[in-house]
């Protein structure tokens, strides 16, 4: 075995991701030893002597030793990554170490296991790295793709050597993708399969017969690549679209897939594959010489790759396996590893994730640049990335009658020349207005030029009357405003024209409630409002009805308010108050009057109020409605806030808006409307109850009238006002089945996959501790309650619908788990299990929530009800928390009149309306302090977990 000596790598100064752009790797300061090939070779020689004659034991011993050496080498590589933060260099070190392992195994196999004294022409082999390994970069958990290239005439020798290497690699715990083929077999496979073709495109010689490898590369280029560039590009871009669909179309998902997500490493790889295939380059630097990228763009390419590799390598090291999803659990640790620090208004992890999303945006920009270059060289047909108008027959290049500065090039708007934006900076807004007006896609060249012209957007342009008129028309247009605004954002124009928006571009909120970055959420809000207005939102029909009744001018105000409502996120000041101030400054530029500007500012300032009251207050309590009405001031403002609330929640993420929330918002509206109108309401309470009962009767047409009458009498008005029709139907069938079976205690299960929850409905005799028992039983079964709808029937039974977090993807698996939960509930209600003892044994808090630190808060308020004291508890959610809260309230001799349970990601907001045992409010300051201390103690973190001091509030 040839002693090659230890692998040594130069290291460079640490990259400071959180503070400044990444540096060019120029300096070297010391060398790091990773893999002692000489020492390992000597040890393998010793093992060959010890296990002489026993090939299997020898192979296992070799694998064990190499496994230990690999672990030590990876630990060293991780240490270097922590020191210098060079992602790509880390990936190259891991790949080089893998090269040495393959080399050691090959040389060991041909010397000690399958020696060929006088090798024939057939006893030749080349070992080739393919795929990601072929690029010379690996993460710790990456697959190792190997091609064992054999001559046309083969003997058993080649397969035996390949088999030995593979078994050793598998015994080391590595994931190996492999193929053993001749050159002709490789060519046939590459022609038939695009995945194999792509893998061979990145083939890299490792060791063995170099002539075999060179012949493969020559034949692959001549017989596979030549003349097939258009086919390859189309296939790779289609593959990219499908990958994005699977991983989540937006590049702004707050838990992105670093490898396969939009703007991730695979997108960078796709760019390189296409460039390599079309321009026949071997090294990335050649793309500059060919004019595909200029030096500045190429530096962006390198910077994106280095950052993404740093993140991915850290993810694999932290997880101890291949982990591609940048989940909440590891985001903060990676932020610390990469050197991010906390700034006013932004935590370290939020600054890291903002940088991540900006990098993802850069990847998208680089994709557009390459596609434009390919089109200009006619390497591909009509645009794959701009399919919006692909169904229409494209017209050839022609000018627009409204402006000579723009042309239409096959249904895509483009600039007439490179000075379009310099001549008139308003054109930076006008191009998007014209594209929207005429249903045009955007030519990549135009977007590239717009991005390079951002310095032209100054204060003069921001205050320009024409520019603001065009922008308002874009924002409020009925023609796909969301998509046009997103293209403005991707080009950087939106963030420069509205600087406050630029501050929240790529900003994530480190919580489990919001699915997207702040800018993406705002753009999706515009899309949600557009869907509501057009009647496309089947789950928000009430908001659509209101939209048709607001004052015509207020339509524009609503769109602007939604666009601005979260624009002040990431500041020390409350974002609602700061956002209202931004609106007061911004709206006059759009031509709004002082009164209109104030309406927009008011909507932003109170945009969370309706959602909060609807989900966490007793809507049947007169004082709740009076307090809410005092904030609303007028029916018109109530309508505007109702519509805004629906659009806002719909745009948070899939499944967040649901029938329960829609019904609660509708109920709050109708309860508030008569207070604001002095008693008049479009639909009074009795009419709404009758309407709800009539809708249910229509759905239960096969029930006898007498049975329908009896069932309708079972529910109080609050039930009919708060429960949506699908749940009313399910409840009716559930209660009917229980009655027919003679059950006083019954449970049922349904799945709400879109919300990520499983709904458990419980029918039981009502008593004061019922909710506490149900919550405890769920905790015993390991189920986390995220929502609860609690009702009492007129015959003294409780009908509770409990939503628990879904654990399994398949309904069959989830059904078995739900059966265990309902069984636990029934046993607890029958008294078969002692809840306090069993709950205490369960581990509290899931790893997913350990990533979050949340300040607990307890508010005691006597101003929301004439009969009850309201106790509001906010803190970090965990399994069993609701049981602990309700049990504690019981121990404090409090009766719970009603409970309102809601979770917002990792944050729980539980509201209890309570009295003392005599039915009186809790007015004693001493008693209130006792309640607060008891509840805060439940919410405070365990010893050793850092958190801010608890916040306690009270109102007389």
């Amino acid at each position: 075995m040839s002693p090659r000596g230890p692998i040594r790598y130069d290291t460079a100064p640490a990259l400071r991701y959180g503070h400044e752009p990444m540096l060019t790797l120029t300096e070297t300061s010391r060398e790091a030893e990773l893999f002692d090939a000489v020492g390992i070779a000597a040890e393998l020689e010793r093992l060959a002597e010890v296990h002489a004659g026993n090939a299997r034991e020898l192979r296992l011993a070799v694998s064990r030793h190499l496994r230990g050496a690999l672990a030590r080498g990876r630990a060293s590589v991780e240490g270097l990554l922590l020191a210098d933060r060079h992602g790509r260099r880390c990936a190259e070190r891991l790949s080089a170490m893998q090269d040495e392992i393959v080399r050691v195994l090959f040389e060991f196999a041909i010397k000690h296991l399958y020696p060929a004294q006088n090798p024939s022409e057939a006893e030749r082999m080349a070992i080739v790295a393919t795929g990601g390994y072929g690029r010379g970069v690996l993460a710790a958990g990456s697959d190792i793709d190997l091609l064992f290239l054999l001559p046309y005439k083969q003997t058993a020798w080649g397969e035996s050597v390949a088999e030995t290497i593979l078994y050793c690699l598998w015994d080391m715990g590595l994931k190996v993708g492999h193929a053993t083929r001749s050159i002709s077999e490789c060519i046939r496979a590459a022609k038939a399969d695009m995945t194999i073709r792509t893998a061979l495109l990145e083939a890299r010689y490792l060791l063995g017969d170099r002539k075999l490898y060179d012949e493969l590369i020559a034949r692959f280029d001549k017989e596979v690549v030549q003349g097939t560039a258009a086919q390859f590009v189309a296939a790779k871009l289609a593959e990219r679209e499908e990958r994005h669909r699977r991983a989540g179309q937006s590049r702004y998902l707050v838990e992105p897939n670093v490898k396969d997500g939009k703007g991730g490493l695979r997108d960078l790889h796709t760019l390189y594959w296409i460039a390599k295939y079309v321009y026949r380059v071997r090294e990335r630097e050649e793309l500059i010489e060919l004019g595909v990228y200029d030096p500045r763009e190429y530096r962006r390419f390198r910077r994106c790759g280095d950052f993404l590799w740093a993140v991915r390598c850290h993810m694999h090291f932290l997880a101890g396996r291949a982990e591609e999803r940048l989940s909440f659990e590891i985001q903060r640790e990676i932020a610390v590893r990469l050197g991010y620090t906390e700034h006013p208004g932004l935590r370290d992890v939020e600054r890291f994730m903002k940088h991540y999303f900006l990098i993802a945006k850069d990847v998208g920009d680089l994709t557009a640049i390459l596609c434009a270059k390919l089109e200009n060289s006619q390497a591909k047909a009509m645009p794959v990335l701009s399919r919006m108008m692909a169904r229409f027959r494209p017209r050839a290049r022609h000018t627009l009658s409204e402006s000579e500065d723009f042309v239409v090039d096959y249904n895509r708007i483009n600039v007439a020349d490179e000075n379009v934006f310099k001549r008139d900076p308003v054109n930076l807004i006008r191009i998007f207005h014209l594209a929207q007006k005429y249903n045009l896609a955007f030519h990549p060249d135009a977007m590239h030029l717009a991005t390079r012209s951002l310095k032209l957007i100054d204060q003069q342009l921001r205050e320009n009357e024409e520019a603001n008129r065009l922008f308002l028309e874009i924002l409020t247009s009925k023609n796909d405003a969301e998509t046009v605004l997103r293209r403005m954002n991707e080009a950087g124009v939106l963030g420069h024209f509205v600087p406050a928006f630029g501050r929240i571009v790529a900003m994530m909120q480190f919580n489990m409630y919001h699915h997207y970055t702040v800018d993406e959420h705002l753009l999706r809000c515009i899309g949600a409002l557009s869907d509501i207005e057009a009647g496309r939102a089947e789950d928000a029909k009430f908001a659509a009805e209101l939209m048709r009744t607001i004052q015509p001018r207020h339509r524009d105000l609503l769109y602007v308010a939604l666009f601005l409502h979260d624009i002040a996120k990431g500041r020390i000041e409350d974002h609602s108050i700061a956002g209202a101030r931004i609106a007061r400054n911004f709206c006059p530029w759009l031509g709004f009057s002082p009164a209109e500007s104030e309406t927009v500012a008011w909507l932003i300032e109170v945009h969370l109020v309706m959602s909060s009251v609807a989900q966490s207050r007793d809507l049947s309590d007169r004082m709740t409605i009076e307090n809410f009405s005092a904030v609303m001031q007028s029916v018109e403002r109530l309508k505007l806030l109702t519509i805004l609330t629906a659009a806002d929640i719909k745009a948070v993420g899939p499944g967040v808006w649901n029938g329960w929330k829609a019904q609660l918002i509708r109920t709050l509206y109708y309860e508030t409307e008569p207070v604001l109108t002095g008693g008049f309401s479009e639909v009074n309470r009795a009419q709404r109850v009758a309407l709800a009962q009539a809708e249910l009767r229509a759905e239960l047409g096969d029930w006898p009238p007498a049975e329908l009458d009896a069932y309708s009498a079972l529910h109080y008005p609050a039930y009919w006002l708060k429960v949506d029709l699908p749940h009313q139907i399910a409840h009716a069938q559930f209660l009917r089945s229980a009655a027919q079976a003679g059950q006083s205690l019954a449970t049922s299960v349904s799945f709400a996959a879109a919300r990520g929850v499983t709904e458990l409905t419980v029918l039981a005799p009502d008593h004061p501790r019922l909710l506490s028992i149900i919550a405890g039983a769920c905790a015993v079964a390991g189920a986390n309650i995220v929502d609860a709808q609690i009702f009492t029937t007129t015959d003294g039974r409780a009908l509770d619908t409990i939503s628990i977090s879904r654990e399994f993807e398949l309904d069959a698996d989830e059904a078995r788990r739900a059966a265990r939960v309902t069984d636990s509930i029934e046993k607890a209600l029958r008294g078969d299990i002692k809840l306090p003892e069993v709950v205490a044994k369960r581990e509290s808090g899931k790893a997913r929530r350990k990533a979050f630190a949340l300040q607990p808060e307890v508010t005691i308020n006597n101003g929301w009800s004439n009969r009850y004291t309201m106790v509001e508890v906010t803190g970090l959610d965990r399994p069993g928390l609701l049981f602990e809260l309700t049990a504690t309230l019981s121990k404090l001799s409090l009766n719970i009149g009603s409970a309102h349970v809601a979770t917002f990601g990792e944050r729980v907001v539980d509201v209890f309306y309570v009295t003392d045992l005599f039915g009186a409010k809790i007015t004693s300051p001493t008693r209130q302090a006792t309640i607060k201390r008891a509840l805060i103690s439940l919410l405070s973190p365990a010893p050793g977990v850092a958190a801010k001091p608890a916040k306690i509030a009270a109102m007389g």
Side-chain angles (χ1 to χ4, degrees):
M1 187 178 304
S2 59
R4 300 175 51 83
I7 304 178
R8 297 178 183 274
Y9 297 95
D10 293 335
T11 58
L15 295 178
R16 303 177 66 210
Y17 293 110
H19 306 276
E20 58 191 42
M22 275 175 273
L23 307 174
T24 305
L25 309 184
T26 54
E27 301 180 40
T28 59
S29 58
R30 62 185 177 85
E31 294 182 333
E33 183 174 302
L34 299 178
F35 192 84
D36 184 4
V38 172
I40 288 171
E43 177 60 19
L44 296 194
E45 289 292 333
R46 189 188 69 80
L47 291 174
E49 294 177 7
V50 172
H51 298 285
N54 192 331
R56 184 176 182 278
E57 286 299 320
L58 176 58
R59 193 193 78 212
L60 291 174
V62 167
S63 299
R64 280 194 297 271
H65 184 72
L66 287 176
R67 185 170 190 163
L70 177 62
R72 291 189 296 274
R74 282 180 175 174
S76 299
V77 172
E78 183 178 9
L80 290 170
L81 177 62
L82 288 168
D84 64 26
R85 299 177 189 146
H86 287 294
R88 186 175 179 87
R89 181 164 289 190
C90 174
E92 290 170 347
R93 289 166 180 151
L94 289 169
S95 177
M97 190 162 58
Q98 188 61 51
D99 290 354
E100 286 301 302
I101 289 171
V102 173
R103 190 183 310 279
V104 163
L105 285 172
F106 177 72
E107 294 179 354
F108 183 82
I110 62 175
K111 178 178 181 181
H112 292 286
L113 297 176
Y114 301 102
Q117 300 299 331
N118 295 300
S120 65
E121 185 66 19
E123 290 176 324
R124 294 185 298 144
M125 170 189 286
I127 301 181
V128 181
T130 60
Y133 183 32
R135 283 191 301 277
V137 284
L138 288 175
S142 296
D143 292 357
I144 313 300
D145 294 321
L146 290 174
L147 168 64
F148 296 95
L149 192 60
L150 303 177
Y152 179 71
K153 290 183 179 180
Q154 302 175 15
T155 66
W157 176 86
E159 289 195 5
S160 298
V161 171
E163 196 173 84
T164 297
I165 294 172
L166 289 172
Y167 274 121
C168 285
L169 294 174
W170 287 328
D171 290 342
M172 291 171 64
L174 297 173
K175 292 180 291 183
V176 185
H178 64 96
T180 304
R181 295 189 179 108
S182 67
I183 295 174
S184 295
E185 288 170 339
C186 287
I187 299 302
R188 283 196 299 271
K191 287 180 177 179
D193 189 310
M194 197 61 71
T195 302
I196 295 175
R197 190 183 306 189
T198 307
L200 285 178
L201 184 65
E202 302 199 279
R204 177 171 61 91
Y205 172 78
L206 287 180
L207 66 158
D209 193 312
R210 181 76 193 214
K211 290 182 180 178
L212 279 175
Y213 170 79
D214 290 340
E215 184 182 347
L216 169 67
I217 296 304
R219 286 188 59 185
F220 177 75
D221 187 64
K222 182 179 180 180
E223 299 177 33
V224 178
V225 175
Q226 284 186 17
T228 62
Q231 175 197 19
F232 182 82
V233 170
K236 287 294 117 181
L237 292 178
E239 182 184 288
R240 173 180 177 270
E241 291 292 309
E242 174 59 21
R243 187 176 67 252
H244 291 169
R245 186 192 64 77
R246 290 196 307 268
Q249 273 291 352
S250 176
R251 67 171 58 94
Y252 304 115
L253 289 166
V254 293
E255 291 185 293
N257 187 308
V258 175
K259 179 182 176 184
D260 291 329
K262 199 168 187 177
L265 272 169
R266 186 66 82 208
D267 278 1
L268 273 185
H269 298 161
T270 300
L271 292 182
Y272 184 48
W273 293 333
I274 291 173
K276 193 171 185 179
Y277 203 99
V278 173
Y279 297 104
R280 318 287 278 280
V281 300
R282 300 298 296 173
E283 301 297 333
R284 291 172 302 170
E285 289 77 5
E286 296 176 61
L287 297 176
I288 300 176
E289 299 171 15
L290 291 167
V292 178
Y293 293 126
D294 63 27
R296 185 175 60 123
E297 291 160 351
Y298 179 72
R299 285 195 297 272
R300 284 172 73 192
F301 189 101
R302 290 292 301 253
R303 185 172 68 245
C304 289
D306 198 65
F307 176 83
L308 291 172
W309 270 113
V311 173
R312 189 179 184 217
C313 287
H314 277 304
M315 288 167 64
H316 284 213
F317 283 133
L318 280 172
R321 55 183 168 79
E323 177 57 69
E324 311 302 350
R325 186 161 161 262
L326 187 49
S327 62
F328 289 125
E329 295 97 311
I330 58 177
Q331 285 177 8
R332 173 167 276 126
E333 175 65 25
I334 291 178
V336 172
R337 282 170 165 241
L338 291 177
Y340 290 87
T341 55
E342 187 168 327
H343 282 199
L346 277 181
R347 287 175 280 183
D348 49 6
V349 64
E350 290 169 338
R351 293 187 62 240
F352 158 56
M353 290 305 296
K354 178 167 184 171
H355 191 183
Y356 176 89
F357 292 120
L358 289 173
I359 289 291
K361 179 181 177 297
D362 280 347
V363 174
D365 294 344
L366 291 167
T367 302
I369 292 167
L370 177 62
C371 288
K373 184 64 65 174
L374 290 171
E375 280 189 42
N376 292 339
S377 62
Q378 298 178 353
K380 74 183 185 80
M382 276 301 295
V384 177
L385 300 181
S386 306
R387 302 184 311 276
M388 188 167 70
M389 298 300 297
R391 60 185 181 276
F392 300 113
R393 181 181 299 278
R395 289 178 58 194
R397 185 180 176 97
H398 63 280
T399 58
L400 284 169
S401 58
E402 292 183 39
S403 173
E404 295 181 356
D405 288 330
F406 300 104
V407 296
V408 178
D409 188 357
Y410 289 99
N411 280 333
R412 293 169 305 169
I413 193 165
N414 201 356
V415 292
D417 60 71
E418 291 195 352
N419 295 314
V420 162
F421 300 129
K422 286 182 181 178
R423 279 198 304 272
D424 184 3
V426 175
N427 279 333
L428 281 162
I429 309 299
R430 187 175 287 118
I431 185 173
F432 295 96
H433 183 266
L434 291 172
Q436 185 181 55
K437 183 177 180 179
Y438 293 107
N439 284 320
L440 300 172
F442 296 91
H443 196 286
D445 285 348
M447 293 298 93
H448 190 204
L449 184 61
T451 300
R452 302 181 94 172
S453 305
L454 294 177
K455 62 182 180 295
L456 298 173
I457 302 177
D458 55 14
Q459 194 60 26
Q460 184 177 351
L461 180 63
R462 295 184 190 109
E463 296 180 16
N464 181 280
E465 185 176 339
E466 174 69 1
N468 279 286
R469 181 188 68 80
L470 294 172
F471 176 70
L472 183 60
E473 288 185 11
I474 292 170
L475 176 61
T476 60
S477 171
K478 294 182 180 180
N479 187 16
D480 206 3
E482 178 188 358
T483 298
V484 177
L485 288 168
R486 184 171 287 110
R487 295 309 301 270
M488 286 185 77
N489 191 30
E490 290 170 352
V493 172
L494 187 56
H496 279 71
F497 187 68
V498 185
F501 189 91
R503 288 185 61 170
I504 53 92
V505 167
M507 179 187 292
M508 66 92 72
Q509 301 161 80
F510 190 60
N511 60 55
M512 291 167 58
Y513 180 60
H514 292 91
H515 294 227
Y516 306 105
T517 57
V518 181
D519 58 326
E520 179 68 7
H521 167 66
L522 292 179
L523 300 184
R524 285 174 180 262
C525 281
I526 300 302
L529 181 56
S530 180
D531 287 343
I532 289 171
E533 183 180 19
R536 292 188 294 266
E538 289 293 320
D539 55 356
K541 290 182 177 178
F542 178 61
E545 293 169 8
L546 292 181
M547 192 82 182
R548 290 191 286 270
T549 67
I550 63 173
Q551 297 176 24
R553 177 62 173 168
H554 285 173
R555 176 188 175 275
D556 288 0
L557 307 189
L558 199 50
Y559 274 92
V560 173
L562 261 176
F563 174 70
L564 297 175
H565 77 278
D566 278 346
I567 204 164
K569 284 281 181 78
R571 305 183 187 216
I572 300 175
E573 186 179 5
D574 182 293
H575 80 280
S576 300
I577 296 171
R581 186 172 60 252
I582 291 170
R584 290 186 182 98
N585 293 327
F586 180 66
C587 288
W589 294 351
L590 299 177
F592 289 180
S593 68
E596 291 170 335
S597 298
E598 191 55 40
T599 297
V600 173
W602 176 86
L603 281 169
I604 294 169
E605 197 162 335
V606 302
H607 75 269
L608 296 173
V609 171
M610 190 170 205
S611 172
S612 174
V613 172
Q615 295 182 71
S616 62
R617 297 292 184 268
D618 185 351
L619 303 185
S620 61
D621 194 299
R622 178 70 179 176
M623 191 172 284
T624 294
I625 303 305
E626 289 178 352
N627 288 347
F628 182 67
S629 300
V631 178
M632 294 301 100
Q633 304 172 19
S634 72
V635 173
E636 183 70 10
R637 283 191 166 187
L638 174 64
K639 289 178 180 179
L640 293 173
L641 185 60
T642 302
I643 300 165
L644 183 144
T645 301
D648 186 15
I649 299 175
K650 280 177 66 65
V652 167
V656 177
W657 175 260
N658 55 60
W660 283 118
K661 290 176 183 173
Q663 189 67 18
L664 290 172
I665 296 292
R666 182 175 179 171
T667 298
L668 179 56
Y669 176 90
Y670 277 131
E671 291 294 314
T672 307
E673 187 185 46
V675 178
L676 295 171
T677 57
F680 172 76
S681 174
E682 293 289 342
V683 185
N684 65 36
R685 178 182 281 207
Q687 288 176 316
R688 284 185 283 128
V689 170
L691 179 62
Q693 291 175 343
E695 288 178 341
L696 181 62
R697 285 173 179 269
E699 293 293 332
L700 303 178
D702 58 335
W703 284 35
E707 188 177 3
L708 280 170
D709 290 340
Y711 180 78
S712 297
L714 275 178
H715 297 294
Y716 291 104
Y719 174 86
W720 297 107
L721 297 175
K722 293 181 180 179
V723 180
D724 61 339
L725 184 59
H727 282 91
Q728 288 178 14
I729 296 168
H731 289 165
Q733 294 167 341
F734 172 52
L735 266 65
R736 188 190 206 191
S737 299
Q740 291 172 348
Q743 296 173 310
S744 60
L745 170 60
T747 56
S748 72
V749 176
S750 62
F751 306 112
R755 292 174 58 202
V757 300
T758 295
E759 293 182 345
L760 312 177
T761 304
V762 181
L763 177 68
D766 195 21
H767 62 82
R769 292 190 62 247
L770 180 65
L771 176 61
S772 182
I773 294 171
I774 293 174
C778 288
V780 167
N784 188 46
I785 297 175
V786 297
D787 195 5
Q789 299 292 329
I790 301 159
F791 297 99
T792 303
T793 60
T794 56
D795 60 357
R797 291 181 293 170
L799 180 64
D800 297 348
T801 298
I802 309 295
S803 297
I804 61 174
S805 298
R806 188 179 175 109
E807 292 286 339
F808 297 99
E809 183 176 350
L810 297 178
D811 281 352
D813 295 332
E814 185 65 13
R816 284 190 287 272
R817 178 240 183 183
R820 292 194 296 271
V821 179
T822 55
D823 181 60
S824 176
I825 291 172
E826 292 182 14
K827 285 180 178 178
L829 291 173
R830 289 195 298 264
D832 295 345
I833 54 177
K834 295 180 179 180
L835 287 176
E837 297 175 8
V838 182
V839 173
K841 294 178 182 177
R842 293 230 21 127
E843 180 184 358
S844 66
K846 292 197 172 184
R848 190 159 173 73
R849 288 175 171 80
K850 290 177 183 176
F852 302 96
L854 194 64
Q855 176 181 325
E857 183 177 354
V858 174
T859 302
I860 296 181
N861 192 318
N862 280 311
W864 279 94
S865 174
N866 287 317
R867 290 183 55 199
Y868 297 98
T869 293
M870 189 199 75
V871 179
E872 183 172 21
V873 180
T874 304
L876 192 63
D877 191 21
R878 67 172 186 269
L881 178 60
L882 181 59
F883 168 72
E884 295 175 40
L885 292 172
T886 52
T888 299
L889 291 174
S890 294
K891 290 176 185 176
L892 292 167
S893 300
L894 297 173
N895 283 331
I896 300 175
S898 66
H900 307 267
V901 179
T903 57
F904 303 89
E906 76 287 353
R907 183 171 66 97
V908 65
V909 180
D910 290 347
V911 177
F912 306 95
Y913 283 71
V914 303
T915 65
D916 63 18
L917 296 180
F918 300 102
K921 285 187 174 184
I922 314 302
T923 56
S924 163
T926 304
R927 187 87 190 276
Q928 288 186 4
T930 301
I931 295 169
K932 293 168 198 164
R933 279 196 301 272
L935 296 177
I936 282 290
S937 68
L938 296 177
L939 296 164
S940 297
V945 179
K948 297 177 181 177
K951 182 177 178 182
I952 298 177
M955 273 184 68

